[in-house]
Amino acid sequence: MITAIIGVGNLGRALAGHLVAGDESVVLAARDEAHAVGLANELGPRVEAALVEDAIAAADVVVLALWLDQIKELLADQAHLLENKVVIDPSNPIGFDANGRMIRTLPDDQSAGSIVASLLPASAHYVKAFGTLGADSLAGSANREPRVALFYATDDDTAAYTVERLIRAAGFDPMKAGGLADARRLEGPNGDLSQGGLNGELLDVDQARAAVAAAYVMT
Ligand SMILES: NC(=O)c1ccc[n+]([C@@H]2O[C@H](COP(=O)([O-])OP(=O)(O)OC[C@H]3O[C@@H](n4cnc5c(N)ncnc54)[C@H](OP(=O)(O)O)[C@@H]3O)[C@@H](O)[C@H]2O)c1
């Protein structure tokens, strides 16, 4: 299985490092190909860099490690590349107000997940995952004892199976939070299963299961 990570910024870099450490094959792409080449060179021979189109074509799984607006732009003319692919969406609808305070950029009844999923071809296997922790926390919390849990949300069995494999390979325990309708719970800045909504806490799998079951009260 080959995983393409589109975007090699904070999140893409952290995830690529973990997947490579977990023996997964990874191909990287960015807007500036030199950024993908630079990270691929750092991470060693299991990682290649490619143009976005070529990275997606080579992959079974595609992680959209881009900001929501960048994902929308990419999908506006390249969504067809994602036919039959497992598509992993870590995006959070985050912006900043005039005082520099982090805010949610979408109305309460909308998730970034619902937007991204609606832009994909019907044959794509969508899953929300890998965006619940801050990139620094993600980078620093793999392979702990007990393992830190990472939530995912999907309506698709192929996507669930695949993302569970990748979460384990990355050094975490998977915890399904529900379907696409539950994606909002995973999304920063204040989804109740996002690190922000959990006051920065990292959960093990038992705590994560309890959090999924807990009554959902959006702050
Ligand atoms: N940062 C976090 O702590 C964190 C935590 C959880 C979830 N997330 C989510 O992860 C996503 C990425 O965040 P980030 O902090 O990693 O962003 P970032 O550091 O700004 O990196 C964005 C990456 O996307 C690439 N990119 C932008 N437009 C592109 C396009 N059209 N085609 C190909 N590549 C493109 C950029 O390429 P260049 O390198 O060439 O500029 C860059 O590598 C966001 O949706 C965010 O909500 C972030």
Side-chain angles (χ1 to χ4, degrees):
M1 189 173 92
I2 297 177
T3 299
I5 300 178
I6 312 302
V8 297
N10 302 300
L11 201 269
R13 164 178 284 273
L15 182 57
H18 288 332
L19 291 182
V20 172
D23 282 337
E24 292 291 333
S25 296
V26 173
V27 55
L28 302 174
R31 198 168 26 197
D32 181 341
E33 197 189 1
H35 295 170
V37 171
L39 182 57
N41 289 342
E42 276 179 46
L43 292 176
R46 291 191 72 89
V47 186
E48 290 187 11
L51 297 174
V52 172
E53 278 196 39
D54 296 337
I56 294 175
D60 310 289
V61 185
V62 179
V63 182
L64 299 172
L66 316 168
W67 290 96
L68 180 57
D69 285 346
Q70 298 169 335
I71 294 176
K72 286 194 215 167
E73 267 175 46
L74 181 80
L75 296 182
D77 47 27
Q78 295 188 297
H80 62 282
L81 299 174
L82 294 165
E83 279 184 14
N84 300 310
K85 310 280 183 186
V86 172
V87 178
I88 301 180
D89 164 27
S91 67
N92 291 315
I94 284 177
F96 295 91
D97 69 13
N99 301 318
R101 216 171 51 109
M102 201 184 275
I103 52 165
R104 194 169 191 278
T105 56
L106 293 176
D108 278 350
D109 62 350
Q110 231 182 355
S111 65
S114 64
I115 293 173
V116 175
S118 74
L119 298 172
L120 296 176
S123 63
H125 304 280
Y126 174 87
V127 56
K128 183 99 216 171
F130 285 123
T132 48
L133 305 187
D136 288 348
S137 292
L138 182 70
S141 60
N143 297 306
R144 287 204 181 160
E145 189 50 54
R147 282 192 168 207
V148 171
L150 290 186
F151 297 106
Y152 70 91
T154 185
D155 295 327
D156 184 296
D157 289 345
T158 301
Y161 174 83
T162 306
V163 83
E164 288 215 359
R165 165 183 165 158
L166 291 179
I167 288 172
R168 287 199 179 90
F172 297 86
D173 274 342
M175 176 54 58
K176 185 167 183 178
L180 175 58
D182 301 293
R184 188 190 181 324
R185 296 185 67 185
L186 278 62
E187 293 177 358
N190 60 359
D192 70 319
L193 302 178
S194 72
Q195 194 176 10
L198 290 163
N199 298 319
E201 236 184 297
L202 301 177
L203 307 183
D204 67 25
V205 75
D206 292 329
Q207 294 168 321
R209 190 175 296 108
V212 169
Y216 175 41
V217 181
M218 181 55 66
T219 52

